[in-house]
């Protein structure tokens, strides 16, 4: 009985790997992902990845599609953590990042039943990328605090919902500064209005 089950599991794993390999060939970023990643990086916001995909797919994603700093940690199904919606992996990320409270973390995903449930179970804020998938999962957002149809929309919502310790928000960056001194005679004439 054990040998039969092992062969069935091995066959199922091989089929999943073949399907995922095909998926890697057609993998594309979700709408607005590059823009959101650039915004998060500019504001110094840490980003991680928890996926039901394999390490091979995560590596392909980082090498072929992702132009920002690698998502870290990047936890795949090959890791020792239980799969979503069990919150263990997200709680681990919170510990690694040394967040004071999981309410400082926002879980972003496209599945109400897996991603939003995952974030809520960890005590994190949740954002749903509504790709229409929620309609196949009962039509609800599962209580996501933020819902967007394009990830680029999320930047403004995060800015309004979280207190960011962003280097771009440093008050000294926005202080009034004296005008620069003209470097040439022509520039001095233009500054004086003598054109």
């Amino acid at each position: 009985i054990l040998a039969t089950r092992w062969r069935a599991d091995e066959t199922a794993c091989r089929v999943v790997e073949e399907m995922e390999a095909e998926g890697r060939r057609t993998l594309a970023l979700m709408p607005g992902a590059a823009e959101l990643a650039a915004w998060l990086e500019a504001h110094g916001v840490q980003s991680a990845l928890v996926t039901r995909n394999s390490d091979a797919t995560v590596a392909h994603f980082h090498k072929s599609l992702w132009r920002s700093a690698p998502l870290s940690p990047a936890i795949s199904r090959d890791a020792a953590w239980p799969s979503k919606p069990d919150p263990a992996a997200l709680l681990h990320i919170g510990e690694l990042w040394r967040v004071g409270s999981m309410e400082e973390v926002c879980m972003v995903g496209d599945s109400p039943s897996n991603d939003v449930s995952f974030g809520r179970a960890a005590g994190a804020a949740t954002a749903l990328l509504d790709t229409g998938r929620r309609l196949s999962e009962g039509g609800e957002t599962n209580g996501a605090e933020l819902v967007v149809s394009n990830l680029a929309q999320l930047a403004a919502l995060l800015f309004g919902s979280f207190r960011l310790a962003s280097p771009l928000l440093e008050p000294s960056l926005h202080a009034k500064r004296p005008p620069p001194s003209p470097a040439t005679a022509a520039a001095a004439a233009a500054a004086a209005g003598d054109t």
Side-chain angles (χ1 to χ4, degrees):
I1 294 174
L2 289 176
T4 302
R5 178 170 183 181
W6 180 80
R7 278 192 295 272
D9 288 347
E10 186 178 280
T11 301
C13 286
R14 194 170 36 253
V15 168
V16 168
E17 287 298 327
E18 288 172 9
M19 291 173 63
E20 194 166 319
E22 175 60 29
R24 282 192 292 274
R25 287 189 277 282
T26 60
L27 189 63
L29 291 178
M30 290 294 208
E35 295 85 353
L36 177 62
W39 184 86
L40 292 170
E41 198 168 346
H43 285 281
V45 177
Q46 297 181 89
S47 301
L49 175 68
V50 179
T51 180
R52 290 182 170 188
N53 291 310
S54 67
D55 283 342
T57 299
V58 170
H60 171 77
F61 169 79
H62 278 127
K63 181 180 177 188
S64 301
L65 296 172
W66 198 245
R67 301 294 173 239
S68 295
L71 300 167
S72 180
I75 300 174
S76 76
R77 73 162 177 261
D78 299 328
W81 301 103
S83 63
K84 297 182 278 185
D86 186 295
L90 190 53
L91 293 170
H92 172 69
I93 291 167
E95 289 173 11
L96 286 176
W97 289 351
R98 295 187 174 129
V99 298
S101 164
M102 286 304 290
E103 293 173 351
E104 298 173 33
V105 174
C106 184
M107 171 59 201
V108 181
D110 65 348
S111 169
S113 62
N114 291 313
D115 299 324
V116 174
S117 294
F118 176 60
R120 290 175 55 97
T126 55
L128 176 65
L129 172 62
D130 189 2
T131 60
R133 183 173 176 180
R134 73 178 169 135
L135 297 175
S136 66
E137 294 184 16
E140 298 296 322
T141 63
N142 206 14
E145 288 89 349
L146 307 170
V147 179
V148 295
S149 59
N150 181 306
L151 287 171
Q153 298 167 330
L154 193 54
L157 296 175
L158 292 173
F159 188 78
S161 300
F162 289 88
R163 207 168 73 83
L164 299 177
S166 169
L168 298 179
L169 300 177
E170 178 63 36
S172 65
L173 290 176
H174 305 286
K176 182 85 171 159
R177 305 216 192 285
S181 299
T184 66
D194 184 16
T195 54

